Amino acid sequence: MNSNEVGSVVLVVIGVVMVSAGVLMIWLGRKSRNGTLNRNHIAGVRTGLTLSSDVAWYPAQRAAARSTGIAGWGSIVTGATTVALSLFSLPFSTRMLLALCLTLGGAAWLLGWAIAGAFAARRAARDAVDTP
């Protein structure tokens, strides 16, 4: 395998990982929005307050659902673009630099929206617990 072939394989792997992360985030966002994501220690916005009661858990997950979905779609677009990049006949260094920029940008997008969702969830959980 020459460097261009290795580069193509690397881009496809990165793209598949990003698309998979996006699909997972969209699935999580839909379950959160529908109120079917049960309280757990693995997925969802997990804070001391949300893990302590369903009264806080469900409103928090619903509040974060939109941001979670947006994070997922951005990751899917990033992954698909990275896979598409593997099809172009560009020099190895150019493709890897573009892939790095895409991947870091996509990861920042995902993280930014996840954090935005966490803030919305925290607010919703506090409001739910404070409401008589």
Side-chain angles (χ1 to χ4, degrees):
M1 261 187 167
N2 66 30
S3 63
N4 272 335
E5 291 169 338
V6 170
S8 292
V9 170
V10 167
L11 291 177
V12 169
V13 169
I14 290 170
V16 168
V17 168
M18 291 298 288
V19 168
S20 299
V23 168
L24 180 63
M25 293 295 283
I26 290 170
W27 173 80
L28 186 61
R30 286 188 179 157
K31 286 196 61 90
S32 296
R33 183 184 62 233
N34 297 335
T36 56
L37 181 66
N38 295 326
R39 195 165 21 128
N40 67 84
H41 290 277
I42 298 171
V45 178
R46 299 167 318 279
T47 67
L49 182 58
T50 60
L51 289 173
S52 68
S53 87
D54 286 342
V55 171
W57 176 264
Y58 290 106
Q61 304 317 308
R62 281 189 193 96
R66 182 175 179 272
S67 295
T68 303
I70 292 170
W73 282 111
S75 186
I76 288 173
V77 168
T78 298
T81 305
T82 303
V83 170
L85 183 60
S86 73
L87 304 173
F88 291 103
S89 296
L90 296 170
F92 177 79
S93 60
T94 302
R95 287 196 309 164
M96 290 301 108
L97 180 61
L98 288 172
L100 177 66
C101 293
L102 275 169
T103 304
L104 291 177
W109 173 273
L110 195 146
L111 184 60
W113 281 104
I115 290 170
F119 277 109
R122 185 172 154 215
R123 229 175 298 122
R126 284 185 178 166
D127 290 346
V129 171
D130 290 340
T131 303

